[in-house]
Amino acid sequence: QVQLVESGGGLVQAGGSLRLSCAASGGGFRRNAMGWFRQAPGKEREFVAGIWRSGGMTYYADPVQGRFTFSRDNAKNTVYLQMNSLNPADTAVYYCALGVVDDLYRRSEYESWGQGTQVTVSS
């Protein structure tokens, strides 16, 4: 059973940066795609970024394109989400997810989820 643990969330002012990490244990990390999703209060959980198991191609939701960077270190079984130029609309609980997926954007295809880490951006 894969376990995912996110870290790196916190409170930051608009325009600031944070780097989220997600460490995987229990096997299967290298065989799977990874995704970051976020959920703001009263809203659906939404796709933020995704990366294939090889780490070659990354995909981003339009609101974060150009500001967020998703990377993975297969040697450390860890993925990272570098978030720059944060704004209050980025405030949410951020979750990492893992799975053998055909569509990185589709939440239902991911099999394992972390507990989430809170990101709060003040104006």
Side-chain angles (χ1 to χ4, degrees):
Q1 177 104 17
V2 176
Q3 290 188 324
L4 304 175
V5 178
E6 302 98 336
S7 61
L11 174 64
V12 64
Q13 288 188 330
S17 299
L18 284 174
R19 188 175 84 152
L20 305 183
S21 300
C22 173
S25 62
F29 176 80
R30 300 183 187 186
R31 298 193 297 273
N32 288 274
M34 297 289 297
W36 283 99
F37 290 75
R38 67 186 182 186
Q39 188 167 18
K43 294 188 177 181
E44 294 283 323
R45 191 172 299 188
E46 64 178 6
F47 173 82
V48 174
I51 192 167
W52 296 111
R53 62 183 182 181
S54 64
M57 292 293 292
T58 52
Y59 299 83
Y60 301 93
D62 287 344
V64 309
Q65 180 75 45
R67 300 187 297 122
F68 290 11
T69 303
F70 191 1
S71 61
R72 68 186 294 164
D73 185 338
N74 284 345
K76 295 182 178 180
N77 287 358
T78 301
V79 295
Y80 306 96
L81 186 68
Q82 177 66 43
M83 306 186 296
N84 299 328
S85 301
L86 286 161
N87 60 66
D90 296 315
T91 295
V93 177
Y94 283 72
Y95 299 88
C96 68
L98 174 150
V100 180
V101 306
D102 292 321
D103 185 345
L104 286 171
Y105 295 79
R106 191 169 296 171
R107 183 180 65 194
S108 61
E109 294 200 18
Y110 291 84
E111 299 153 14
S112 300
W113 291 82
Q115 81 289 349
T117 185
Q118 177 71 47
V119 171
T120 302
V121 184
S122 63
S123 58

